[in-house]
């Protein structure tokens, strides 16, 4: 059963406020700072002002369009600076405002969910809304990622050698991440990734035996 589409996006007024705030901070403050410095040529002030305005406008547009879109095969994270699409099969887990995933080379990576970052000065309603979004994303991942691990474990023997090696690398990284995340977790206690690790490792050893 495929996971349903999930779109996590702030309401328009918050996106507009974030975009305007980003523009004012990036475009306004440096321009005013340079304008107040003595001895700075007018040309330099104009160049700095234009550059800061362009960067501020670009970041404002990015802030306006920030969103997290979860589909059955990938998760799009459109942040303030860059966008990234992560295959669902590569996702390891969520902690705070960071989504952890495994690269094709078996390296643990993380992507920041910028649109859900808050400051201590933000209203309580904003904190509550962001926490609600993250809880919704966590539930989606539980179904889309963790809910399919048993099926992936059973399919390990049907993978080609490259796909099997990648699955083993990912499961091992994810298992290690979960143990580190849950501090105090004894090595004898199970993680959600154990079955996939065991299945992929067993199949890898079987294929390595002489025939």
């Amino acid at each position: 059963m495929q996971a349903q589409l999930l779109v996590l996006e702030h309401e328009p007024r918050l996106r507009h406020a974030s975009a305007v705030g980003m523009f004012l901070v990036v475009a306004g403050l440096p321009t005013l700072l340079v304008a107040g410095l003595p001895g700075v040529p007018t040309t330099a002030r104009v160049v700095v002002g234009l550059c800061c305005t362009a960067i501020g406008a670009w970041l404002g547009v990015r802030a306006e369009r920030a969103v997290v879109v979860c589909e059955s095969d990938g998760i799009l994270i459109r942040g303030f600076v860059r966008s990234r699409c992560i295959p669902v099969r590569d996702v390891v887990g969520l902690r705070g405002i960071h989504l952890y995933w495994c690269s094709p080379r078996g390296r643990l990576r993380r992507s920041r969910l910028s649109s859900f970052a808050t400051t201590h000065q933000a209203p309580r309603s904003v904190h509550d809304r962001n926490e609600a979004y993250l809880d919704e994303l966590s539930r989606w991942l539980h179904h889309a990622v963790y809910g399919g691990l048993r099926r992936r474990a059973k399919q390990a023997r049907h993978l080609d050698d490259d796909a099997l090696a990648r699955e083993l690398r990912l499961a091992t990284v994810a298992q290690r991440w979960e143990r580190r995340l849950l501090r105090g977790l004894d090595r004898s206690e199970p993680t959600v990734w154990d079955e996939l690790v065991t299945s992929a490792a067993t199949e890898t050893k079987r294929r390595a035996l002489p025939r």
Side-chain angles (χ1 to χ4, degrees):
M1 181 178 180
Q2 290 187 341
Q4 295 182 344
L5 173 68
L6 176 65
V7 179
L8 300 176
E9 184 179 40
H10 286 296
E11 57 191 58
R13 66 180 184 86
L14 288 179
R15 298 202 309 271
H16 299 338
S18 179
V20 172
M22 184 74 72
F23 175 79
L24 291 177
V25 169
V26 176
L29 291 182
T31 302
L32 292 176
L33 179 62
V34 172
L37 294 177
V40 178
T42 302
T43 302
R45 294 179 181 178
V46 172
V47 171
V48 170
L50 291 175
C51 290
C52 291
T53 300
I55 296 173
W58 180 74
L59 290 175
V61 172
R62 296 288 304 185
E64 172 74 24
R65 301 182 64 220
V67 68
V68 176
V69 180
C70 303
E71 299 182 285
S72 58
D73 57 345
I75 299 176
L76 170 65
I77 302 173
R78 187 184 297 143
F80 296 157
V81 177
R82 61 177 300 181
S83 298
R84 183 183 291 279
C85 189
I86 303 169
V88 172
R89 291 186 66 90
D90 293 345
V91 173
V92 170
L94 177 71
R95 187 179 189 186
I97 60 170
H98 290 95
L99 183 70
Y100 289 80
W101 51 283
C102 185
S103 73
R105 296 186 178 183
R107 301 287 298 275
L108 183 65
R109 304 292 188 188
R110 71 176 186 177
S111 294
R112 190 171 188 263
L113 308 178
S114 302
S115 56
F116 303 139
T118 53
T119 63
H120 294 295
Q121 292 75 26
R124 182 62 194 176
S125 59
V126 174
H127 285 274
D128 292 342
R129 188 179 294 108
N130 284 348
E131 289 177 4
Y133 285 143
L134 292 173
D135 288 342
E136 194 171 358
L137 176 57
S138 180
R139 290 192 297 271
W140 190 92
L141 292 175
H142 189 274
H143 171 72
V145 178
Y146 304 140
L149 291 182
R150 179 166 296 181
R151 174 177 49 81
R152 289 168 64 174
K154 292 179 179 179
Q155 292 177 344
R157 64 179 181 274
H158 302 298
L159 300 176
D160 59 43
D161 291 346
D162 290 340
L164 178 63
R166 169 142 176 72
E167 192 80 323
L168 179 58
R169 287 197 301 269
L170 183 147
T172 303
V173 167
Q175 184 188 57
R176 191 180 305 124
W177 174 83
E178 185 176 337
R179 292 191 185 280
R180 188 178 64 190
L181 171 65
L182 304 177
R183 295 180 181 179
L185 179 65
D186 189 88
R187 292 186 63 86
S188 62
E189 294 187 41
T191 71
V192 298
W193 298 91
D194 290 350
E195 186 174 355
L196 181 57
V197 170
T198 300
S199 177
T202 300
E203 179 62 20
T204 300
K205 291 180 181 179
R206 188 189 67 81
R207 296 184 187 185
L209 295 175
R211 299 180 181 180

